[in-house]
């Protein structure tokens, strides 16, 4: 039996992909009989399985300017110095920027995000430009913490780093040199929840609300942070398609900005937004393709959810994506609106190609099952106890 303490400021899976990934890992670890699981968090978490001990530390409720993260980091720093040690305990951090711990997941590299943001033109709408400015401030605050954490790791100090993709691992070593113990632990994909199952009622309801005919393919965009996820590129790609299709936008964002841009491009009738959804899985099942023209990604969690759901992906390539985003195999890598439109046209026009992508994508996604990823984390934790 091993005691595993997971530390993360927000365990509500609908808040962000990062929060959702850590929450799903907690769920998977709680199912293992060889793990005593404790959670240290800063908000009231989503429901957890029985037997999980929850310690809630005080932190500011707002995420703006990373205030929730920074205040939780301070509370965790005080708590870990004052708390009584637990025998054979391994502390797993949702981010190495929290400090302390034995193992730490790495989901993002603000240094790389800043470089990508500088090279990309700002959004046309002032609301998205304001959000981009906010992102720049947040990531500027994260950069000194990153440098401190990863330089310490390069000297063999601090937790063992567990990046979520090989591409991110490569970027960390490019920037900071050899990092002892660096081990890729991918995000969990729940292939029972994300699966290829018909959703005729939802399909009919979405088409009725959007005014789309039955023969129109549905192109799906999932996510918030539209200024980073490339929604404006997706809109321009929809305007350049050879045949009409509907763009279904799932996720929070400034609806007025979306409507204005769609109207400017002359595609307002082909764009329908449903806002934030507690469960996004059914929306994948009514889609013909996922579009993700993102400014920056490290693992593209929504792309993996699409592959598990039998949906080909058209996405901007990023470090490590070449291992799974294979042209004509799982979808297409495409940079910019014209290339994205061309890739979508190919998938829409060729059902046999799409079927091949569906089968290949599902085969890749099942390797990230909750059981497989949880087993990898437990094995790493045993290595810590055995040192």
């Amino acid at each position: 039996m091993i005691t595993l303490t997971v530390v993360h400021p927000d365990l509500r899976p609908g808040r962000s992909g990062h929060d959702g990934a850590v929450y799903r890992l907690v769920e998977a670890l709680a199912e293992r009989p060889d793990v005593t699981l404790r959670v240290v968090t800063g908000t009231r978490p989503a429901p957890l399985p029985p037997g999980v001990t929850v310690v809630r530390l005080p932190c500011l409720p707002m995420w703006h300017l990373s205030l929730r993260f920074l205040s939780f980091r301070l509370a965790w720093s005080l708590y870990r110095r004052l708390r009584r040690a637990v025998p054979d305990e391994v502390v797993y951090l949702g981010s190495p920027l929290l400090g302390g711990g034995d193992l730490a997941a790495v989901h993002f590299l603000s240094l790389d995000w800043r470089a990508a943001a500088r090279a990309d033109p700002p959004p046309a709408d002032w609301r998205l430009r304001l959000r981009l400015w906010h992102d720049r401030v947040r990531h500027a605050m994260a950069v000194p913490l990153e440098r401190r954490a990863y330089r310490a790791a390069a000297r063999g100090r601090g937790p063992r780093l567990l990046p979520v993709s090989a591409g991110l691992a490569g970027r960390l070593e490019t920037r900071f040199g050899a990092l002892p113990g660096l081990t890729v632990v991918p995000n969990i994909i729940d292939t029972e929840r994300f699966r290829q199952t018909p959703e005729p009622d939802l399909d009919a309801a979405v088409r009725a609300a959007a005014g789309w005919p039955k023969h129109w393919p549905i192109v799906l965009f999932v996510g918030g942070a539209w200024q980073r996820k490339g929604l404006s590129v997706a809109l321009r790609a929809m305007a350049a398609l050879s045949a009409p299709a509907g763009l279904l936008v799932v996720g929070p964002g400034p609806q007025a900005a979306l409507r204005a841009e769609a109207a400017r491009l002359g595609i307002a009738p082909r764009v329908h937004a449903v806002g934030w959804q507690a469960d996004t899985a059914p929306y994948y099942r009514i889609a013909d393709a996922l579009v993700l023209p993102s400014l920056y990604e490290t693992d593209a969690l929504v792309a993996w959810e699409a592959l598990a759901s039998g949906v080909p992906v058209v996405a901007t390539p990023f470090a490590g994506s070449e291992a799974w985003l294979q042209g004509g195999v799982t979808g297409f890598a495409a940079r910019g609106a014209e290339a994205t439109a061309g890739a979508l046209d190919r998938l829409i026009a060729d059902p046999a190609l799409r079927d091949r992508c569906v089968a290949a994508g599902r085969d890749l996604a099942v390797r990230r099952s909750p059981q497989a990823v949880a087993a990898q984390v437990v094995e790493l934790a045993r290595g810590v106890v055995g040192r």
Side-chain angles (χ1 to χ4, degrees):
M1 182 67 70
I2 190 168
T3 299
L4 195 56
T5 297
V6 177
V7 182
H8 191 66
D10 198 337
L11 284 172
R12 293 175 293 176
R15 305 299 297 180
S16 72
H18 185 180
D19 297 337
V22 179
Y23 177 80
R24 283 191 285 274
L25 177 61
V26 168
E27 284 188 309
L29 291 170
E31 297 298 321
R32 293 185 60 100
D34 56 346
V35 172
T36 299
L37 191 60
R38 301 172 71 244
V39 167
V40 179
T41 187
T43 59
R44 187 183 302 278
L48 295 170
V52 178
T53 301
V54 177
V55 177
R56 187 176 173 189
L57 303 181
C59 70
L60 293 172
M62 68 284 292
W63 68 274
H64 301 83
L65 298 174
S66 297
L67 292 176
R68 182 168 57 217
F69 178 87
L70 293 172
S71 59
F72 177 79
R73 183 177 183 273
L74 176 61
W76 161 243
S77 177
L78 295 172
Y79 175 76
R80 66 188 172 90
R81 285 169 171 78
L82 297 174
R83 73 192 185 108
R84 184 175 300 174
V86 176
D88 291 336
E89 179 190 34
V90 176
V91 176
Y92 174 101
L93 304 175
S95 167
L97 308 192
L98 290 170
D102 303 294
L103 305 171
V106 186
H107 287 257
F108 205 85
L109 186 55
S110 292
L111 282 161
D112 277 2
W113 180 92
R114 286 205 312 174
R118 290 192 187 110
D120 199 61
D125 188 89
W126 67 269
R127 285 156 286 215
L128 293 178
R129 286 202 305 272
L130 182 61
R131 288 174 173 236
L132 181 60
W133 173 85
H134 178 263
D135 283 350
R136 284 176 171 162
V137 173
R138 288 197 307 121
H139 292 297
M141 295 166 67
V143 163
L145 297 177
E146 283 185 346
R147 289 195 172 113
R148 179 180 177 183
Y150 299 136
R151 286 171 179 169
R155 297 192 299 269
R157 298 171 53 195
R160 183 173 183 175
L161 301 179
L162 313 178
V164 294
S165 69
L168 179 55
R171 291 301 304 156
L172 287 169
E173 293 201 310
T174 296
R175 284 195 175 272
F176 299 100
L179 298 169
L182 192 70
T183 304
V184 175
V185 177
N187 286 315
I188 284 174
I189 302 299
D190 186 346
T191 51
E192 292 298 316
R193 179 178 164 219
F194 294 96
R195 63 189 188 278
Q196 190 179 5
T197 305
E199 292 279 355
D201 292 342
L202 179 61
D203 183 79
V206 166
R207 291 180 185 277
W212 295 341
K214 290 183 179 180
H215 68 276
W216 275 19
I218 293 179
V219 177
L220 182 65
F221 178 97
V222 179
W226 293 349
Q227 68 282 1
R228 175 168 69 86
K229 296 293 185 179
L231 181 55
S232 60
V233 177
L235 291 169
R236 295 198 301 274
M238 295 300 294
L241 287 181
S242 299
L247 178 66
L248 177 60
V249 179
V250 178
Q255 300 286 328
L258 173 61
R259 290 192 296 269
E261 182 66 7
R264 188 184 69 81
L265 293 168
I267 59 169
R270 292 198 270 151
V271 178
H272 181 62
V274 295
W276 180 84
Q277 298 293 318
D279 185 8
T280 59
Y283 291 91
Y284 289 99
R285 298 181 203 132
I286 67 172
D288 295 279
L290 177 86
V291 62
L292 183 64
S294 186
L295 172 68
Y296 172 75
E297 293 291 339
T298 59
D299 189 46
L301 185 59
V302 297
W304 283 98
E305 291 171 349
L307 295 179
S309 304
V311 180
V313 174
V314 177
T316 303
F318 56 90
S321 64
E322 61 276 1
W324 59 269
L325 185 58
Q326 301 161 10
V329 179
T330 54
F332 291 96
R335 191 179 299 279
E338 291 297 326
T340 299
L344 289 171
D345 276 333
R346 290 184 63 182
L347 287 170
I348 289 170
D350 190 343
L353 170 62
R354 184 181 177 280
D355 288 345
R356 292 195 299 272
C357 290
V358 166
R362 178 74 183 181
D363 286 345
L364 285 173
V366 297
R367 302 174 192 176
R368 293 170 163 236
S369 70
Q371 296 78 18
V373 176
Q376 186 181 6
V377 171
V378 170
E379 189 63 28
L380 290 166
R382 288 199 182 105
V384 172
V385 172
R387 286 194 304 221

